[in-house]
Amino acid sequence: MEAGGDQVYTEARRDSTDTERGGTEAGGGGRGGTEAGAGGTEAGAAASVAVTGQEVQCYKCNQLVEGEHFSEHLSDHHTDETCNTCGAMVEGTIGLLNHIQKVHYAALVVPSPKKPLRPQKSTTLLPLKTTPLRPACSSATPCHSVPHSATPHHSVPHTPHSTSQLQCYSATNWRNFLPDQFRRVIQEADQVWIAKCLYEPSGQLRQKLSACWFHPPLEPKPSPPEPGWYHRQRLFIWAPMRMWGISLKCPQCSSKMNSSGIYRKVREVIDVDSRYYLVGGDYPRCSRCSQPVCPWSQDILSQIDVSNRSMFPAVLTTQLALDRKCMTFLKPRTCGNSSSYVQSAIEEAHSEEWARQSIRYLADCERHKKTASFAPSAAVHPPPLPFRPLPLAQWFETVHSNDILSHVDEMKGVITSTYGGILKMDSTKKITKKLAGGIGDSAAWMSNIGNEFGQVLNSVLTTGEGAGLEELCQGIVTRYKNAGQAEPDVIYVDRDCCSQSGVSPVSRLFRPWKSAVRLDSFHFMRRFNCGLTTEHHPLYGTFCAKLSSCVFEWDQEDVQHLKEAKRVEWKHSHSGRTPTEAQLLATISPGELKRHCRRRTRGVEEMRRMIAGLLESVWDLADTTGLRLVNHESMRHVWEVQQKHLDCLQDPPGVALYTKVGLSRRAARTWTS
C-alpha cells in the first residue's frame, strides 16, 4: 500500500485481505468467499450466499453482485455505521454518506437558521436500537441473525469507490500524498487536484487510468480570488504498463519489469503558450536485479510500439522539457529560422497568455471588492503571479540535439538505405579546414561517395588523399550486397582512373564489382590550370569555356527539337514570318540550351585534335600588360601527361547520364543532368 509521506490509511471495518485489495488487484480468485465479512456480524457471510457462475447473490437484498465486489457490497449497503457528529446509526457506508450530505454537509453549505432542516425520506437513518430481522432463507443457505434496518432499503447503483467518496468529504490532506519533489515543482493551486488524479482517498495509488491528459477541474472560483488559481497547468501521466498493459524488459538482464509505484520526479514541460506537468505513472523495476529504470528513458521508449510511443509529448533535458509542437519550429532550415527566433516567439506567446490570466484575476478582484459585505478598504488581494521567463536559446539548441540523438538509428537507416546507379568519389580539403579545437589538425582530406541525385552515400576523414579508402569502398559494396541492389554502371573519380597494368586502383577498391571507371571531366579540365600563369588572367574564363567545348558536344537531335520550338514562337510573334538561321540562334539563350539539350563527350581523336588546336591558338596570347596566359614549359608537360586520360573521359555506352524531368511547351522534351 502506497501512502504519501509516512501516513498509511486503512479501514478497520474490513479484514486484512480486503485492505490489500487496492495495492495488489489480484482479481476474483478466492476473494468472493474470503472477503464476505465486513464488520463484526458478517464474518460468516461466506456460507450464506448462493453463487451463480461469476456472480454472488446477496442473502439480505437478493441482489446479484460480482464475486470480487461482494465484500464491498456488504460494506456499502449492509454494515452498521455510526455518525461521529450526531451519533445516529445508519446502514452501510452509502447510507452514512447520504446522512452526512443531507444533514450535516447541507447545513454547512446552505445555513438556514429560521427553517431547520427536515429529515429527507431517502435518508437511511436508524434508531439507536433496532429489531433484528431475518431474511427469507433458502434450503441450501443457512440463516444467520443479522441486524437490519426497519427502513426499506433503496436500490443504489454499485459504486466500487463509494468508500473513497466518503473519505473525500472528510478532512483528507491530499498534499501529503505527493512526494516531496512533487510539492517543490507543482504549484500550490495544482497540488490538490493532481493528488486526487493520482491517489485514492486512502493514500493508495490509483490502479486504473482512463486517459493520459488531465485538466484542472472546472470548480467555482475561489472567493476571495487567489492568483494561483488563474495559472493552473495541465497534467500528463505516462503509464504505458498500467494503461495499455505493455510488457517491458530490463535493459540489463532482459527480465520482466514490474511497476513499483509512481516515478518520484515530476517534470515541467514548456508548450507553445503555456506549461504542463509530466508525471510518470509507472516506475519500472526489474523483477530479478531490482534495478529501477526511468519511465521515459530511451531504453523504455524503444520497447513501446510506434503508435503508443508517439503519444509521449515532450523532449526532455536535465531539468525541464520542451513539447514536440515547439520542436517542430526548430526543424525547418529556412532563412532566418534560428533557436533565438524560436525562443523569442514562444516567450512572446507565454507572456500574452500570462497577461490574459492576470487581467482576469485583477478583474475578479475588483468585482469581489464591490460585492464584499465588509468595508472595501479591508479587502486585500495579493498581486498577480510574476511572469516566469523561458530558458535561453542555447537550451533550445540542446533540446533539438537531444531530439536528433533519439532518432540516430532511424537516420542511420535512412542514410544506409541510399543507393544509386552512377557513383562519384571525390576528395576535398575545404571541409577539413573548417575543423577547429582539438580536432583541427586530426584530418587533412575528406572523401565522399555520392550518387547521380547528389545524395551522399558515405564520407570519411583521412590524414592523406587516398588513405583509408578501402574500408569506405568495401562498406558500400557490402551495403549493396545486403540490400540486393545491382552494382552501379559507372564510377566517376578524380584520380586513379587508369593504370598501366590494365586494372585501375579504384576497381581494386570496389572489388568484386565490374563497374566502368571514368575520370570526371571537371577534374580533367582543372588540371590544365597548372599550365597557366594565373587564374586571374582576363582570358582565363574564355580559355575554360573553349576547353569545355573541346571536350563536350551538344546532342544534335535535341538541338533540332529546340530550334523547331523556337521557330514556332518566332512565327507566332512575327505574323507568320520565317526566321533566318542567325535570327533563330540569337533567340536561344545559353540557359535554354543547357536546360533542354543533352551533352556528350567527343571522340578521343576529335578531342585530342581540338584541344591541341586550342592550345596552339592561345600559346602567345597576353593581356594589355604583356602577361602571357600560358606558361609554355608547364603546359607542355600537362598536355603530355593528360593525353593518356582521353580514353577515360568517354561516356560509357548504354548508360543514361541524363534524367527526363518533364515536358515543356517550347521543346518536345525537357532534359536535365
Side-chain angles (χ1 to χ4, degrees):
M1 173 181 300
E2 286 193 35
D6 297 330
Q7 301 183 14
V8 179
Y9 295 87
T10 59
E11 187 171 347
R13 290 186 302 273
R14 301 190 181 187
D15 55 21
S16 60
T17 306
D18 189 41
T19 305
E20 297 172 356
R21 183 180 61 247
T24 61
E25 293 290 339
R31 190 166 57 193
T34 60
E35 294 182 355
T41 62
E42 294 157 16
S48 61
V49 297
V51 180
T52 306
Q54 297 290 337
E55 298 180 341
V56 178
Q57 183 177 7
C58 181
Y59 68 96
K60 304 185 70 173
C61 61
N62 296 328
Q63 183 179 354
L64 293 178
V65 186
E66 294 183 2
E68 59 180 355
H69 299 304
F70 182 73
S71 178
E72 298 179 6
H73 172 77
L74 291 177
S75 176
D76 295 341
H77 299 284
H78 306 302
T79 305
D80 292 343
E81 302 286 349
T82 303
C83 179
N84 295 330
T85 303
C86 62
M89 294 290 295
V90 294
E91 185 178 13
T93 55
I94 292 182
L96 181 59
L97 172 64
N98 293 334
H99 170 74
I100 293 175
Q101 183 177 6
K102 298 297 179 60
V103 178
H104 304 294
Y105 183 75
L108 295 175
V109 177
V110 186
S112 179
K114 295 183 180 181
K115 296 182 180 181
L117 290 173
R118 297 179 181 180
Q120 301 294 331
K121 294 182 180 181
S122 60
T123 305
T124 58
L125 292 176
L126 293 178
L128 295 178
K129 295 182 180 181
T130 59
T131 303
L133 299 179
R134 293 179 179 270
C137 301
S138 62
S139 59
T141 306
C143 289
H144 295 270
S145 178
V146 181
H148 192 67
S149 173
T151 306
H153 175 73
H154 296 276
S155 176
V156 181
H158 176 68
T159 307
H161 300 287
S162 58
T163 305
S164 301
Q165 296 178 1
L166 174 62
Q167 294 183 357
C168 287
Y169 288 98
S170 62
T172 302
N173 194 347
W174 291 95
R175 290 187 174 89
N176 286 346
F177 295 161
L178 297 175
D180 295 337
Q181 199 273 345
F182 277 53
R183 292 195 292 268
R184 290 194 300 267
V185 176
I186 299 177
Q187 301 180 17
E188 186 176 355
D190 295 320
Q191 293 180 5
V192 173
W193 75 267
I194 288 180
K196 292 180 179 180
C197 294
L198 297 174
Y199 296 95
E200 300 284 355
S202 61
Q204 298 176 349
L205 189 66
R206 293 187 182 273
Q207 298 302 315
K208 295 183 180 180
L209 297 174
S210 58
C212 294
W213 286 102
F214 294 86
H215 297 264
L218 299 177
E219 55 190 21
K221 296 181 181 180
S223 183
E226 299 177 1
W229 189 90
Y230 296 84
H231 296 275
R232 295 182 298 171
Q233 301 176 173
R234 297 169 293 159
L235 171 67
F236 182 86
I237 300 179
W238 178 247
M241 301 177 67
R242 290 161 52 193
M243 288 191 62
W244 306 309
I246 298 177
S247 179
L248 302 178
K249 294 183 179 180
C250 178
Q252 298 181 0
C253 61
S254 300
S255 300
K256 183 179 179 181
M257 304 189 71
N258 300 320
S259 178
S260 59
I262 191 173
Y263 188 57
R264 297 294 175 175
K265 189 173 183 180
V266 63
R267 295 295 188 94
E268 194 173 30
V269 184
I270 297 176
D271 204 350
V272 176
D273 59 350
S274 61
R275 306 188 186 202
Y276 61 87
Y277 304 110
L278 176 62
V279 174
D282 288 334
Y283 197 4
R285 185 182 297 272
C286 180
S287 58
R288 176 181 297 179
C289 59
S290 300
Q291 182 69 24
V293 183
C294 179
W296 41 66
S297 64
Q298 194 62 32
D299 294 332
I300 297 299
L301 294 178
S302 60
Q303 300 183 40
I304 304 175
D305 57 285
V306 179
S307 60
N308 290 324
R309 186 171 67 243
S310 62
M311 297 180 63
F312 190 73
V315 179
L316 283 75
T317 57
T318 305
Q319 298 295 334
L320 295 175
L322 186 65
D323 190 84
R324 293 194 178 275
K325 295 190 293 294
C326 301
M327 282 297 307
T328 307
F329 302 145
L330 292 170
K331 293 180 180 180
R333 298 294 187 268
T334 55
C335 181
N337 184 43
S338 62
S339 58
S340 301
Y341 172 77
V342 174
Q343 190 267 352
S344 60
I346 296 178
E347 190 169 28
E348 182 67 22
H350 277 244
S351 63
E352 292 181 358
E353 180 64 21
W354 170 83
R356 284 192 292 267
Q357 299 302 328
S358 299
I359 291 173
R360 287 183 55 202
Y361 167 67
L362 296 175
D364 290 344
C365 290
E366 293 294 331
R367 192 178 300 108
H368 179 262
K369 288 182 179 180
K370 295 179 181 179
T371 58
S373 59
F374 47 83
S377 59
V380 179
H381 301 93
L385 296 181
F387 174 72
R388 294 188 295 168
L390 267 63
L392 300 178
Q394 289 80 358
W395 179 81
F396 283 80
E397 295 178 359
T398 302
V399 177
H400 190 204
S401 301
N402 292 349
D403 181 61
I404 293 176
L405 291 176
S406 64
H407 298 85
V408 168
D409 294 337
E410 300 175 9
M411 293 182 178
K412 288 182 179 179
V414 172
I415 293 175
T416 55
S417 299
T418 305
Y419 308 96
I422 300 175
L423 300 184
K424 178 182 177 181
M425 186 168 62
D426 188 15
S427 300
T428 180
K429 285 185 176 181
K430 295 181 180 179
I431 303 299
T432 56
K433 290 180 180 179
K434 298 180 180 180
L435 298 177
I439 62 174
D441 299 329
S442 60
W445 288 87
M446 182 177 184
S447 300
N448 307 308
I449 298 180
N451 58 9
E452 65 270 27
F453 305 106
Q455 299 171 331
V456 178
L457 275 66
N458 207 347
S459 300
V460 64
L461 293 172
T462 59
T463 56
E465 187 178 11
L469 296 181
E470 185 172 0
E471 293 82 359
L472 173 67
C473 298
Q474 286 300 310
I476 298 296
V477 173
T478 304
R479 182 193 304 180
Y480 272 71
K481 180 180 178 181
N482 295 338
Q485 295 287 329
E487 62 183 48
D489 299 322
V490 59
I491 302 175
Y492 283 92
V493 295
D494 59 345
R495 60 192 299 271
D496 297 333
C497 56
C498 56
S499 175
Q500 295 180 357
S501 62
V503 180
S504 65
V506 177
S507 299
R508 289 193 293 267
L509 291 176
F510 286 96
R511 63 183 184 277
W513 283 356
K514 303 300 181 182
S515 304
V517 179
R518 293 291 186 269
L519 177 64
D520 184 70
S521 57
F522 172 78
H523 291 86
F524 172 79
M525 291 184 290
R526 288 283 298 176
R527 294 175 180 180
F528 282 86
N529 292 348
C530 298
L532 304 179
T533 55
T534 176
E535 296 182 5
H536 303 286
H537 198 280
L539 299 176
Y540 175 74
T542 304
F543 173 77
C544 292
K546 295 298 183 180
L547 182 61
S548 176
S549 62
C550 295
V551 176
F552 296 102
E553 63 178 353
W554 295 105
D555 187 279
Q556 294 302 317
E557 183 180 356
D558 294 341
V559 174
Q560 290 300 325
H561 283 299
L562 181 59
K563 286 183 178 180
E564 292 175 2
K566 299 297 289 186
R567 185 178 290 106
V568 172
E569 288 185 356
W570 176 278
K571 291 182 178 181
H572 181 73
S573 59
H574 291 79
S575 303
R577 291 183 298 173
T578 302
T580 62
E581 188 68 17
Q583 291 175 335
L584 188 61
L585 294 178
T587 59
I588 301 176
S589 64
E592 291 177 328
L593 191 64
K594 181 180 179 180
R595 185 168 58 252
H596 299 294
C597 300
R598 293 170 292 180
R599 292 194 306 172
R600 60 191 178 196
T601 56
R602 300 178 184 270
V604 176
E605 297 301 328
E606 183 181 3
M607 193 183 303
R608 180 182 287 108
R609 178 178 54 81
M610 294 189 67
I611 294 177
L614 174 64
L615 295 179
E616 184 179 355
S617 63
V618 299
W619 198 258
D620 296 325
L621 291 181
D623 60 0
T624 56
T625 61
L627 179 63
R628 292 181 179 273
L629 173 64
V630 178
N631 187 329
H632 295 174
E633 184 178 355
S634 299
M635 185 60 73
R636 287 193 188 96
H637 176 71
V638 169
W639 176 234
E640 181 181 355
V641 173
Q642 299 304 319
Q643 287 190 55
K644 65 180 181 180
H645 293 299
L646 296 180
D647 290 335
C648 303
L649 296 176
Q650 302 303 306
D651 293 337
V655 178
L657 300 179
Y658 285 80
T659 302
K660 182 179 179 180
V661 297
L663 298 176
S664 175
R665 294 181 180 178
R666 296 181 179 180
R669 287 173 293 182
T670 301
W671 303 86
T672 183
S673 58

